């Protein structure tokens, strides 16, 4: 390989490059660690990509584009697929036309997530094929393969990545070979795309037929790798676990699964029989081991203690030697903090002074749960702050209920807070409720992405702007305040107190830019004004 | 994925540690690129996200003939580069027994024209005990930093490199 062809890319960058090289016409998504850089890089590379308000909308836009024969991809973190699950399950029935690749970036170990759900279950539940690359080279190759599979079987394909694939940089050799694609076009296919029961019943059968065909294809020519080594130990693995395992047991025999759903169970059974001891090494849930056992092949798995957190070379060594002793706990580093001057600081200072019961949400402002404030008391999923606040208000005795507030960031509000406000107007608690929308002008936590409320696109061009206060009024909230929480902290605190005392429905938009983004926002706005 | 079956014994394991905003990731990016330019197989891995709000950050760089896992196995770092003095103790466990600790006290901070280049100065120290040629380090710095920062960072790199060479001679 010529040195100049060697690129050092993260898995996210490799996926983006492959999407460009494959002629993906539209990529959509919603930010979320560790997936965010895929869409950002795709746009940097000149592709057409756009942030959607949330993952469900992102997937729906992609489904439409795919019905129009365009090649499309959708990116999100693992929990994003919960939001997008509804369209995914039925898109598997409705035949796509252009490729539709759904990227789920899982976060075992929860480097930056609220749970470590294992999205391999989604492939089975929705009935869509799944590919799992082990490094950036495979991230590149499997993205291209996912597109081929999607167009061959007219089905969405799940490209499942994990943190150490997304964010590890490894060497990629990526020859640019763009296909000749025809212009997107539309042909109605009512019986195949209108999923009323009469059409969905045969569609489900068609889906199972495709999965059976794909399973045969995977057995014969799927992207799976068998390495004949020492026959005393055979290891079945996928994704980055392969890298850890190959290093932990360099002499063992390996069966590395690249397409993990539908699994190549016959090939796996043959491999398992060919070795004395066969162990499945997988991160997260005992998913592959259960499926292999259910197919009648005896294999060993891991002790339940290794279900938690990421795997690494040391943990794989322990699994292989049945070591269940307590693992050394590394010293705790310094926890993150709200930046000095962060506008969220003023908000939590006031809420703490007022003794509020704060129902929280996800974003930088989640750090309000940690010292010095320890003011935010719940975090479940994006948008939940409003619903949870309402629930508490409905059931608590009045004097406690009146202290409940919901805090939610601007990007999170657009993502999934709007329906919570509708609920608030439709089912108001007896003592009203107070929602604080922390509008710092960006999606700070994931690295300052634009969103509909900033009025700028992913590449910072002017576009339609969602004016949050107008929307809140349109929903039917009478008491709407827009205030800078840091300019006059006492004034801000008094306003919150006044809203709480009013026993009405109130929304306070605490508007002040994130200190890390403020300079860039100012500069962008100046450029846009001059245009 | 590398298809060859070569052994991993020649892999050099480096862990970079510090606090969000100190250039930990920048330093590891530069080191990984230098290894790439020198013709090695290389992998680099870190955790992004919340850790960047001033919290602890670490990044692993591994290079050699063939690298498998992107993470340095626990306690097997050959070199630990720490940019924040208060992060030395929490990261020491990553270093193997005879491993090399590279810390800010090796640098004459008064001689640093731009304090933000401490990360690159420590790369200079690192370079003195690596088999990567100086030209590859210089090229990597050029690729990862804006042009207006080049001069200050080349100076910082040289400061670290000379300090380390002086130490080695002693
Ligand atoms: C369904 C889902 N998608 C994405 C994420 C990742 N994520 C968490 S909060 C957030 C947005 C944070 O932005 P904002 O609400 O504006 O708060 P800020 O960080 O700016 O304070 C994102 C993208 C998630 N946790 N869940
Ligand atoms: S990045 Fe912005 S929003 Fe996040 S803590 Fe810092 S100032 Fe606050």
């Amino acid at each position: 390989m010529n040195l100049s062809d060697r690129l050092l890319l993260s898995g996210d960058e490799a996926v983006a490059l492959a999407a460009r090289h494959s002629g993906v016409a539209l990529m959509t998504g919603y930010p979320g660690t560790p997936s965010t850089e895929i869409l950002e890089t795709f746009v940097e590379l000149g592709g057409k990509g756009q942030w959607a308000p949330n993952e469900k909308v992102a997937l729906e836009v992609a489904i439409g584009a795919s019905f129009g024969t365009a090649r499309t991809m959708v990116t999100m973190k693992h929990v994003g697929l919960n939001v997008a699950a509804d369209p995914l399950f039925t898109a598997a029935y409705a035949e796509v036309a252009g490729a539709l690749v759904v990227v789920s970036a899982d976060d075992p170990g929860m480097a930056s997530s609220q749970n470590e759900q294992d999205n391999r279950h989604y492939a089975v539940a929705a009935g869509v094929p799944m590919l799992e690359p082990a490094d950036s080279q495979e991230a590149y190759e499997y993205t291209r393969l996912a597109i081929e599979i999607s167009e061959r079987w007219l089905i969405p394909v799940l490209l499942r990545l994990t943190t150490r694939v997304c964010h590890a940089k490894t060497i990629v050799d990526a020859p640019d070979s763009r296909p000749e694609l025809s212009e997107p076009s539309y042909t109605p296919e009512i019986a195949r795309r209108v999923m009323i029961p009469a059409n969905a019943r045969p569609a489900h059968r068609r889906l199972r037929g495709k999965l059976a065909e794909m399973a045969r294809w995977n057995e014969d020519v799927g992207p799976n790798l068998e390495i004949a080594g020492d026959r005393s130990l055979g290891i079945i693995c996928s994704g980055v676990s392969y890298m850890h395992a190959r290093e932990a047991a360099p002499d063992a025999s390996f069966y590395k699964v690249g397409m993990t759903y539908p699994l190549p169970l016959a090939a796996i059974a043959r491999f398992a029989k060919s070795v004395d001891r066969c162990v499945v090494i997988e991160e997260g849930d005992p998913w592959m081991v259960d499926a292999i056992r259910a197919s009648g092949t005896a294999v060993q798995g891991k002790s339940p203690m290794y279900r938690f957190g990421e795997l690494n070379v040391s943990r794989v060594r322990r699994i292989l030697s049945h070591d269940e002793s307590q693992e050394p706990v590394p010293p705790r580093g310094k926890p993150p903090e709200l930046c000095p001057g962060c506008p969220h600081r003023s908000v939590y200072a006031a809420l703490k002074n007022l003794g509020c019961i704060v129902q929280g949400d996800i974003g930088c402002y989640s750090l309000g749960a940690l010292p010095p404030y320890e003011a935010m008391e719940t975090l479940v999923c994006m948008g939940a702050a409003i619903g949870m606040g309402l629930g508490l208000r409905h059931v608590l005795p009045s004097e406690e209920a009146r202290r409940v507030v919901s805090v939610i960031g601007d990007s999170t509000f657009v993502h999934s807070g709007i329906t919570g406000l509708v609920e608030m107007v439709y089912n108001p608690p007896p003592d009203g409720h107070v929602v604080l929308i922390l509008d710092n002008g960006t999606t700070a936590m994931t690295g300052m992405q634009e969103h509909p409320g900033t009025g700028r696109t992913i590449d910072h061009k002017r576009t339609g702007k969602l004016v949050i206060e107008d929307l809140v009024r349109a929903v039917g909230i009478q008491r709407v305040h827009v205030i800078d929480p840091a300019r006059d902290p006492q004034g801000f605190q008094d306003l919150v107190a006044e809203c709480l005392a009013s026993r009405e429905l109130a929304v306070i938009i605490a508007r002040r830019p994130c200190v890390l983004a403020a300079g860039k926002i100012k500069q962008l706005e100046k450029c846009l004004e001059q245009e | 994925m590398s298809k060859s079956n070569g052994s991993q014994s020649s892999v050099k394991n480096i862990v970079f540690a510090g606090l969000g905003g100190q250039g930990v990731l920048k330093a590891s990016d530069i080191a990984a690129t230098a290894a790439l330019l020198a013709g090695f197989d290389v992998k680099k891995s870190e955790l992004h996200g919340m850790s960047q709000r001033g919290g602890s950050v670490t990044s692993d760089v591994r290079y050699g003939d063939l690298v498998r896992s992107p993470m340095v196995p626990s306690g097997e770092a050959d070199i630990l580069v720490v940019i924040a003095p208060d992060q030395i103790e929490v990261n020491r466990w990553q270093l193997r027994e005879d491993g090399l600790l590279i810390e800010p006290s090796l640098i004459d901070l008064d001689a640093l024209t731009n304090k933000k280049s401490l990360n690159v100065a420590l790369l200079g120290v690192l370079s003195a005990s690596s088999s990567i040629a100086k030209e590859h380090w210089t090229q990597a710095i050029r690729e990862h930093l804006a042009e207006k920062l080049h001069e200050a960072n080349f100076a910082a790199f040289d400061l670290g490199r000379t300090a380390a060479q002086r130490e080695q001679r002693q």
Side-chain angles (χ1 to χ4, degrees):
Chain A
M1 186 169 37
N2 184 327
L3 274 193
S4 62
D5 295 338
R6 301 193 332 159
L7 300 166
L8 187 60
L9 300 182
S10 70
D12 280 352
E13 291 166 337
V15 170
L17 185 64
R20 278 298 280 157
H21 286 177
S22 309
V24 165
L26 180 64
M27 191 185 284
T28 61
Y30 181 76
T33 312
S35 71
T36 313
E37 296 89 339
I38 302 174
L39 187 41
E40 290 178 333
T41 308
F42 183 71
V43 170
E44 268 164 36
L45 294 172
K48 180 174 169 61
Q50 49 202 42
W51 291 128
N54 67 28
E55 295 85 353
K56 177 173 185 285
V57 176
L59 178 51
E60 290 157 350
V61 169
I63 292 171
S66 155
F67 285 161
T69 70
R71 290 187 163 178
T72 59
M73 283 180 70
V74 194
T75 68
M76 61 197 70
K77 69 185 285 157
H78 59 345
V79 284
L81 201 50
N82 300 335
V83 179
D86 204 3
L88 175 69
F89 277 58
T90 307
Y93 282 24
E95 289 193 326
V96 304
L100 173 56
V101 177
V102 179
V103 183
S104 165
D106 291 15
D107 190 14
M110 296 174 276
S112 186
S113 302
Q114 68 264 39
N115 75 21
E116 55 182 337
Q117 70 183 55
D118 186 333
N119 276 6
R120 294 178 298 171
H121 298 291
Y122 267 120
V124 187
V128 294
M130 168 167 60
L131 295 169
E132 292 190 76
D135 62 8
S136 303
Q137 179 68 45
E138 285 192 353
Y140 179 84
E141 289 166 9
Y142 287 11
T143 300
R144 303 201 70 163
L145 180 62
I147 288 169
E148 277 172 39
I149 292 173
S150 179
E151 289 183 351
R152 174 159 173 196
W153 279 284
L154 308 180
I155 192 168
V157 176
L158 188 64
L159 183 69
R160 184 203 181 234
L161 312 175
T162 54
T163 298
R164 297 292 177 172
V165 175
C166 291
H167 283 170
K169 289 193 177 173
T170 72
I171 294 174
V172 177
D173 182 17
D176 188 351
S177 55
R178 280 169 217 231
E180 285 287 325
L181 296 172
S182 39
E183 274 284 294
S185 64
Y186 182 68
T187 318
E189 296 257 15
I190 291 177
R192 288 179 179 252
R193 291 184 190 152
V194 179
M195 286 301 117
I196 50 172
N199 293 336
R201 284 187 200 108
H204 186 200
R205 289 177 192 282
R206 220 165 31 237
L207 170 62
R208 295 297 149 193
K210 288 180 190 177
L211 287 167
E213 241 182 81
M214 283 186 275
R216 282 193 296 277
W217 175 86
N218 199 19
E219 298 277 2
D220 298 341
V221 293
N224 311 307
L225 181 69
E226 185 167 350
I227 297 161
D230 186 340
R231 289 284 143 192
S232 62
L233 174 64
I235 296 177
I236 299 170
C237 52
S238 65
V240 75
S241 305
Y242 165 75
M243 295 297 173
H244 305 321
R246 194 88 200 276
E247 183 166 336
D251 299 326
S253 295
F254 278 84
Y255 192 87
K256 175 188 172 299
V257 193
M259 178 158 156
T260 42
Y261 189 74
L263 277 170
L265 289 166
I268 288 173
R270 278 195 302 277
F271 173 77
K273 274 205 200 83
S274 75
V275 295
D276 302 338
R277 175 185 174 215
C278 190
V279 186
V280 176
I281 297 290
E282 61 187 323
E283 219 162 36
D285 293 346
W287 176 80
M288 205 155 51
V289 75
D290 284 355
I292 294 169
R293 283 178 178 157
S295 75
T297 298
V299 284
Q300 294 177 11
K302 61 186 180 194
S303 151
M305 66 186 282
Y306 300 107
R307 179 185 194 147
F308 307 99
E310 301 184 279
L311 292 186
N312 55 35
V313 174
S314 327
R315 296 189 95 198
V316 172
R317 285 188 195 126
R318 290 171 62 104
I319 294 172
L320 290 174
S321 61
H322 301 291
D323 185 348
E324 294 185 27
S325 64
Q326 179 157 15
E327 295 177 87
V329 186
R332 280 179 72 95
K334 183 170 172 289
E337 255 187 68
L338 292 169
C339 302
C342 171
H344 300 329
R345 284 183 176 267
S346 326
V347 172
Y348 284 117
L351 297 180
K352 203 173 159 113
N353 287 344
L354 293 171
C356 290
I357 298 174
V358 182
Q359 299 303 291
D361 220 299
I362 316 183
C364 274
Y365 54 98
S366 304
L367 293 169
L370 305 182
Y373 301 107
E374 295 178 276
M376 193 189 91
E377 297 173 356
T378 54
L379 183 167
V380 172
C381 69
M382 286 185 76
I386 299 179
M388 293 188 301
L390 292 171
L392 272 179
R393 285 249 180 186
H394 282 300
V395 300
L396 288 181
S398 175
E399 62 280 10
E400 263 199 295
R402 273 151 39 204
R403 291 195 286 130
V404 177
V405 301
S406 298
V407 297
I408 185 165
D410 49 342
S411 186
T412 303
F413 175 72
V414 177
H415 178 280
S416 47
I418 299 170
T419 42
L421 273 197
V422 175
E423 162 72 7
M424 175 156 113
V425 172
Y426 186 54
N427 292 311
D431 290 306
H433 187 43
V434 178
V435 174
L436 290 105
I437 300 175
L438 312 188
D439 183 1
N440 60 0
T442 186
T443 315
M445 184 163 102
T446 42
M448 322 298 167
Q449 288 76 30
E450 304 284 8
H451 63 73
T454 71
R456 294 179 303 268
T457 58
I458 188 170
D459 50 353
H460 314 296
K461 305 257 162 59
R462 180 74 76 215
T463 187
K465 176 177 170 129
L466 177 79
V467 179
I468 295 179
E469 50 273 37
D470 291 355
L471 179 123
V472 173
R473 286 192 192 100
V475 163
I477 312 277
Q478 311 287 330
R479 216 175 240 281
V480 182
H481 301 277
V482 180
I483 184 171
D484 178 338
R487 180 167 296 161
D488 169 13
Q490 188 58 47
F492 174 72
Q493 184 172 317
D494 292 345
L495 176 67
V496 178
E498 179 194 314
C499 288
L500 286 167
S502 76
R503 302 202 186 178
E504 290 175 7
L505 300 178
V507 171
I508 300 171
I509 299 167
R511 179 168 293 150
R512 183 185 179 90
C514 155
V515 290
L516 296 194
K520 173 110 195 262
I521 294 174
K522 234 189 212 147
Q523 193 190 335
L524 284 172
E525 282 300 319
K526 210 161 146 197
C527 290
L528 288 170
E529 263 158 38
Q530 280 161 5
E531 266 171 22
Chain B
M1 178 179 38
S2 175
K3 299 286 189 307
S4 91
N5 260 323
S7 103
Q8 272 233 145
S9 51
S10 61
V11 170
K12 194 93 168 152
N13 292 312
I14 308 170
V15 173
F16 292 85
L19 296 174
Q22 282 191 316
V24 174
L25 304 186
K26 192 53 95 180
S28 66
D29 268 329
I30 292 170
T33 298
L36 173 84
L37 294 169
F40 289 110
D41 186 18
V42 57
K43 289 189 178 176
K44 160 194 147 101
S45 157
E46 70 250 342
L47 296 178
H48 298 216
M50 284 297 232
S51 50
Q52 282 159 310
R53 302 280 167 271
S56 302
V57 186
T58 66
S59 178
D60 295 359
V61 174
R62 314 185 74 197
Y63 66 89
D65 296 337
L66 174 71
V67 183
R68 301 271 191 214
S69 171
M71 295 145 84
V72 172
S74 321
E76 292 182 24
D78 300 298
I79 303 178
L80 172 64
V81 183
V82 191
I83 307 177
D86 64 358
Q87 293 300 296
I88 294 173
E89 283 323 307
V90 286
N91 285 293
R92 203 183 278 279
W93 66 276
Q94 312 222 43
L95 201 54
R96 69 171 164 78
E97 224 159 82
D98 312 313
L100 174 67
L101 172 69
I102 296 180
E103 53 180 316
S105 64
L106 298 168
I107 303 292
D108 174 8
L109 292 178
D110 296 329
L112 257 192
T113 41
N114 183 344
K115 301 290 173 253
K116 285 209 155 155
S117 321
L118 177 59
N119 58 347
V120 174
L122 294 174
L123 283 177
V125 178
L126 171 66
S127 75
S129 41
S130 88
S131 52
I132 299 168
K134 188 177 172 193
E135 59 177 289
H136 298 313
W137 287 102
T138 314
Q139 180 59 27
I141 291 171
R142 221 174 255 133
E143 283 183 24
H144 285 283
L145 293 173
E147 200 173 340
K148 61 176 195 281
L149 300 174
H150 286 176
E151 209 166 305
N153 281 284
F154 290 146
F157 183 84
D158 285 337
L159 184 72
R161 193 171 166 94
T162 348
Q165 284 164 342
R166 203 177 315 120
E167 193 119 316
Q168 280 167 357
R169 274 196 301 273
Q170 279 168 7

